[in-house]
Amino acid sequence: MTSRIEIAPSPPILGSILPPGSKSLTNRALVIAALAQGKSSLTGALESEDTHVMIDSLRRLGIDVQHDRRAKVIDVTGCDGVIPSSDADLFVANSGTTIRFLTAMVAAGKGRYRLDGVQRMRERPIRDLLETLSALGVTCRSEAENGCPPVVVETSGLVGGVAQIAGDISSQYLSGLLMAAPYAAQGVSLEVVGELVSKPYVHMTTAVMRDFGVNVDAGDLTKLVIPHGKYVGRQYAIEPDASAASYFWAAAAITGGSVTVEGLSRDALQGDVAFCECLEQMGCQVEYGPNSIKVVGSRMRGICVDMNAISDTVQTLAAVALFADGPTTVTGVAHNRHKETDRIGDLACELRKLGAVVEELEDGLTIVPSRLQPAEIETYNDHRMAMSLALVGLRQPGVVILNPACTGKTYPNYFEDLSRLAGVEFQ
Ligand SMILES: O=C(O)C1=C[C@@H](OP(=O)(O)O)[C@@H](O)[C@H](O)C1
Ligand SMILES: C=C(OP(=O)(O)O)C(=O)O
C-alpha cells in the first residue's frame, strides 16, 4: 500500500457489508482453545496483525495452530492446560490483547517466557497485571522496571487463591487472568480495585469461557470467582468485528445514507454495538434485525456521552461529531491515552487540523464543529485514527490519510471495503 491515501467525497452511501471477524473474540477463542482439552475449529476468525502475533506466539509455545486463511478458519489442538514449551520469546507487535492475555496464560505454564513488542508496546502499562500474577505465586517483572513490556515470566504454575487486580487502566488484565485462572492449582478469586474500565469486554471473556465449559461467578464485576477446571475444545463461530462496523455505521451518518452491517445484532457479545445508540441519540435511525443492524443517516445534533464502555469507538464518534449541529462531549475515556497512541491528545490534534475547535479534557474531549478544511492526517500508527478520520473525507474534499497500512492491525482491507461500499475510488 502507498504511504498516503486521499479519500474521495461520496454521495449518500447505500449498501450493506460484512466486516471481518472480531479481534477480541478471535484472540480470546485462540487462548482458550490453546488451553483446552481436544481440538477446536474457529470459523469467521479475523486475519490481521493482532491475530497473527497471537497465532505466532501460541505456536512458539508449542501449540498446534493451523490457519486456513482463505476459509477464515483456525484449527487449534489444545494442550489440556500443559503448555508444551518451557522457554519461549514472544513478539506481540502492538497487540494489547495478545500481551495481556499471554502474560497471564504463560504464568500457568512451567518455565521462562519473555514477551516484547514494538516501541509503543514498550510504553503501554502492564504493571498491575504483573503484581497480581506475583500475588498468585509467579515470578514476573518488567525488564526495564518501568511497568511496561518487555515482560519476563518465570513460573512453575499459578498457585491460586484470592488476589486483587486494578481495573482502571485496562480491562485486559482481568480478562487475561480470568482465562488462565481455571488452570491454577486451586480456585481463584479476583477482587477488582478501582473503577473497572471497558466492562463489556469482561462480560465477553466470561461468555467465551462459558462457551468452552468454564463458568465464572462474575457478579457485578467487583469480585469474580473462577473454579479450577478445564476448557473443552469445540467448533466456535466468531462474530464480525463491531468496532470495525462502527466505521460503516458512521459512514451512513456522515453521508446521509443507509448502511446495514450483517452478522451483528443488539445481543452481540461485543459491547461496541452500543455505538449505534450514540448515533441514535444524535438523530440517526437505527434498525436492529436478528442478524443485522442498519443505520440511516439524518440531520444530527451534538451529544454528551460517557464512552468508557465503548472506548474503541471514540474516534469514530469524533468523526461523526464534525457533521453535527452543536458540540459533542465525550467523557469517561482516560484509559484511551494508553492505547495504540494517546487517543485523546493526538485525536484532538488531528481534529483541529480538519478545522474543528477541540477542548481536551483529562478523560475525553469536546468537539465543536466548525468549517472543515482539507488536511493531511497523521495516524500515529493507530489503525483507528486512520479508519475513523478517513470518514471525514467522504464529505470534505482533500482529506489525506498518512500511513494507511496501519489499518493492518485489525483490518488490512479497510480502504478497499470502504471504497467499494461508497462506490468511489481513493487515490
Ligand atoms: O479485551 C479486549 O479485547 C479489548 C479491551 C479494550 O481495551 P481496554 O480494556 O484496555 O480498554 C479495547 O480497547 C481493546 O481494543 C480490546
Ligand atoms: C486498543 C486496541 O487494541 P489493543 O489494546 O488490543 O492493542 C484497539 O484495537 O483499539
Side-chain angles (χ1 to χ4, degrees):
M1 199 183 270
T2 51
S3 60
R4 64 206 298 283
I5 193 165
E6 179 162 347
I7 307 304
S10 154
I13 298 180
L14 306 172
S16 68
I17 184 154
L18 177 70
S22 155
K23 167 197 83 171
S24 294
L25 286 169
T26 303
N27 276 357
R28 279 169 175 73
L30 279 167
V31 166
I32 290 176
L35 286 168
Q37 176 186 51
K39 294 193 183 209
S40 294
S41 189
L42 315 181
T43 58
L46 174 65
E47 153 95 42
S48 77
E49 181 176 278
D50 275 15
T51 56
H52 285 166
V53 294
M54 175 63 89
I55 291 170
D56 177 66
S57 298
L58 292 174
R59 286 184 178 143
R60 284 169 194 269
L61 292 171
I63 311 286
D64 180 33
V65 184
Q66 302 294 332
H67 191 178
D68 182 338
R69 293 179 175 189
R70 273 259 206 85
K72 299 193 179 77
V73 175
I74 307 176
D75 290 317
V76 182
T77 306
C79 67
D80 199 9
V82 183
I83 297 174
S85 171
S86 59
D87 183 8
D89 250 302
L90 312 179
F91 179 76
V92 305
N94 195 7
S95 172
T97 52
T98 305
I99 199 157
R100 275 86 179 243
F101 297 173
L102 289 185
T103 296
M105 176 181 157
V106 298
K110 286 192 172 42
R112 181 187 186 279
Y113 308 95
R114 182 176 181 276
L115 300 93
D116 196 4
V118 298
Q119 180 51 40
R120 175 60 183 170
M121 181 49 84
R122 290 181 168 195
E123 296 163 7
R124 296 183 66 185
I126 196 161
R127 176 182 281 122
D128 295 327
L129 175 58
L130 300 181
E131 283 178 1
T132 304
L133 289 172
S134 303
L136 292 169
V138 174
T139 304
C140 51
R141 64 194 161 87
S142 149
E143 210 172 70
E145 292 177 9
N146 62 357
C148 296
V151 163
V152 177
V153 178
E154 284 162 322
T155 178
S156 46
L158 287 166
V159 175
V162 182
Q164 297 190 325
I165 177 66
D168 55 340
I169 304 270
S170 171
S171 68
Q172 295 172 357
Y173 308 151
L174 175 56
S175 284
L177 290 164
L178 285 168
M179 287 187 278
Y183 295 92
Q186 45 171 303
V188 177
S189 287
L190 294 169
E191 290 171 9
V192 178
V193 182
E195 195 57 36
L196 178 62
V197 297
S198 298
K199 286 193 181 111
Y201 288 98
V202 177
H203 290 300
M204 181 195 291
T205 306
T206 56
V208 183
M209 290 173 69
R210 187 189 54 232
D211 289 341
F212 281 80
V214 173
N215 285 301
V216 174
D217 177 359
D220 62 359
L221 302 187
T222 54
K223 183 169 181 221
L224 299 95
V225 181
I226 310 100
H228 177 80
K230 56 166 69 181
Y231 302 118
V232 180
R234 54 168 289 181
Q235 185 152 28
Y236 199 69
I238 307 286
E239 295 173 353
D241 194 287
S243 324
S246 75
Y247 307 115
F248 303 117
W249 289 318
I254 288 173
T255 64
S258 160
V259 173
T260 302
V261 172
E262 308 288 352
L264 288 171
S265 72
R266 207 174 214 155
D267 306 326
L269 291 176
Q270 299 165 82
D272 276 6
V273 293
F275 175 74
C276 293
E277 291 169 24
C278 300
L279 294 180
E280 215 166 7
Q281 250 182 287
M282 294 179 90
C284 297
Q285 204 185 311
V286 183
E287 292 169 26
Y288 294 94
N291 197 31
S292 68
I293 303 178
K294 177 177 177 178
V295 168
V296 182
S298 178
R299 185 163 182 173
M300 293 182 288
R301 53 189 168 267
I303 56 170
C304 289
V305 57
D306 181 333
M307 296 186 81
N308 186 294
I310 55 168
S311 61
D312 284 358
T313 61
V314 168
Q315 289 145 298
T316 327
L317 194 76
V320 176
L322 299 179
F323 299 95
D325 297 329
T328 288
T329 298
V330 175
T331 57
V333 290
H335 52 305
N336 266 16
R337 295 191 186 273
H338 304 292
K339 309 239 172 177
E340 283 78 337
T341 190
D342 170 357
R343 287 183 178 167
I344 298 177
D346 295 336
L347 176 60
C349 176
E350 299 313 303
L351 292 170
R352 287 184 189 121
K353 281 189 197 164
L354 287 160
V357 174
V358 183
E359 188 195 344
E360 189 179 331
L361 314 170
E362 195 221 319
D363 71 334
L365 67 180
T366 294
I367 302 156
V368 186
S370 314
R371 204 183 148 79
L372 291 178
Q373 61 195 28
E376 267 199 355
I377 302 299
E378 190 61 60
T379 44
Y380 310 86
N381 226 4
D382 178 3
H383 53 142
R384 300 206 189 284
M385 199 70 91
M387 295 192 279
S388 56
L389 296 188
L391 301 172
V392 181
L394 296 172
R395 281 271 298 271
Q396 167 61 41
V399 173
V400 171
I401 302 295
L402 299 176
N403 185 22
C406 69
T407 68
K409 185 172 189 285
T410 54
Y411 199 157
N413 296 326
Y414 175 71
F415 287 103
E416 289 86 336
D417 284 2
L418 182 63
S419 145
R420 195 177 323 108
L421 184 69
V424 291
E425 291 224 350
F426 303 151
Q427 296 293 316

